[in-house]
Amino acid sequence: ILNVEQSPQSLHVQEGDSTNFTCSFPSSNFYALHWYRWETAKSPEALFVMTLNGDEKKKGRISATLNTKEGYSYLYIKGSQPEDSATYLCAFGYNFNKFYFGSGTKLNVKP
Amino acid sequence: DGGITQSPKYLFRKEGQNVTLSCEQNLNHDAMYWYRQDPGQGLRLIYYSQIVNDFQKGDIAEGYSVSREKKESFPLTVTSAQKNPTAFYLCASSGHGYGEQFFGPGTRLTVL
């Protein structure tokens, strides 16, 4: 079983703050790295699918970077809003079918 | 409206009983997965199936069984051999696109 670490475990920020989380994964046999957002009482939804070293993705105020050589990815949220409150999961894959999930970072944005 | 459905949402089981969790998808995806979530832990893979009539064990398959008789359906049976079955179970499917997974709403199983 591969080890995927996410930090911090939880985060409380004020509306308007910018924040970032880390996902650490093995630096070998990389296939893809996924970020998911999991809101309470909903299903996890994919935010980003990252496949290349140096890959950078952006969706509105949220962006992610990837360093496969050193085994980490950062997720950034600029100007956090209450609707960003959710658990953010990362998943490291070494092939199409086998993904290992971190335990998530739970973000709470206070109005 | 494409998606994944799981039923039931909540399930209570007495010790020693087998129970089956349903998972259906209409996304036309070949691959389907079952994950288990326990408090403070990441999702752990129980079983996956790449194609009809074929499935593979994940990291925590002991005490579980699956079938894949139709592309749309991937039911999970939690048997009495599973020592600690109380958990939240998520089903997912994947088509193309580097394994991006689409999840159902989950089933919370409680053993009484």
Side-chain angles (χ1 to χ4, degrees):
Chain A
I1 298 180
L2 299 177
N3 200 31
V4 178
E5 299 279 348
Q6 288 190 249
S7 62
Q9 192 173 6
S10 64
L11 201 51
H12 298 263
V13 302
Q14 290 293 135
E15 182 175 354
D17 288 349
S18 294
T19 187
N20 65 85
F21 327 132
T22 304
C23 174
S24 301
F25 51 86
S27 56
S28 59
N29 299 318
F30 179 87
Y31 173 75
L33 191 286
H34 299 167
W35 281 101
Y36 293 88
R37 177 164 62 196
W38 194 357
E39 296 179 68
T40 303
K42 294 188 178 180
S43 307
E45 289 187 349
L47 279 171
F48 301 116
V49 174
M50 311 184 80
T51 59
L52 296 171
N53 187 46
D55 206 358
E56 185 167 345
K57 303 278 188 182
K58 189 172 182 180
K59 188 181 290 187
R61 293 179 292 99
I62 305 177
S63 60
T65 61
L66 177 68
N67 186 323
T68 59
K69 292 178 181 175
E70 296 184 33
Y72 65 84
S73 175
Y74 294 139
L75 187 77
Y76 299 93
I77 302 179
K78 186 178 177 182
S80 301
Q81 299 297 308
E83 57 265 30
D84 295 328
S85 297
T87 296
Y88 292 82
L89 301 176
C90 73
F92 164 80
Y94 67 84
N95 66 39
F96 181 85
N97 283 297
K98 294 296 287 289
F99 279 83
Y100 291 88
F101 285 77
S103 55
T105 293
K106 188 171 184 178
L107 174 66
N108 182 33
V109 182
K110 300 177 186 175
Chain B
D1 210 5
I4 300 182
T5 58
Q6 290 186 242
S7 62
K9 189 172 181 179
Y10 298 98
L11 188 56
F12 298 91
R13 188 194 93 175
K14 292 182 181 178
E15 281 194 32
Q17 287 182 335
N18 293 354
V19 289
T20 297
L21 282 58
S22 168
C23 177
E24 304 276 332
Q25 56 102 356
N26 60 3
L27 299 167
N28 200 33
H29 286 166
D30 286 318
M32 295 187 74
Y33 311 83
W34 274 106
Y35 292 95
R36 167 181 172 141
Q37 189 194 34
D38 295 283
Q41 295 194 40
L43 304 180
R44 291 184 292 166
L45 183 64
I46 303 172
Y47 268 98
Y48 67 97
S49 169
Q50 294 176 275
I51 200 165
V52 173
N53 292 323
D54 182 67
F55 48 82
Q56 307 294 328
K57 291 182 180 180
D59 298 311
I60 55 166
E62 186 176 347
Y64 299 98
S65 65
V66 293
S67 62
R68 188 86 187 275
E69 296 175 4
K70 299 187 299 181
K71 187 175 185 176
E72 303 79 17
S73 180
F74 191 40
L76 174 75
T77 297
V78 184
T79 75
S80 56
Q82 168 49 235
K83 300 297 181 193
N84 185 20
T86 294
F88 185 68
Y89 291 87
L90 273 173
C91 178
S93 70
S94 183
H96 302 285
Y98 286 93
E100 177 185 350
Q101 301 195 9
F102 295 79
F103 288 89
T107 293
R108 186 167 297 280
L109 173 64
T110 302
V111 173
L112 303 173

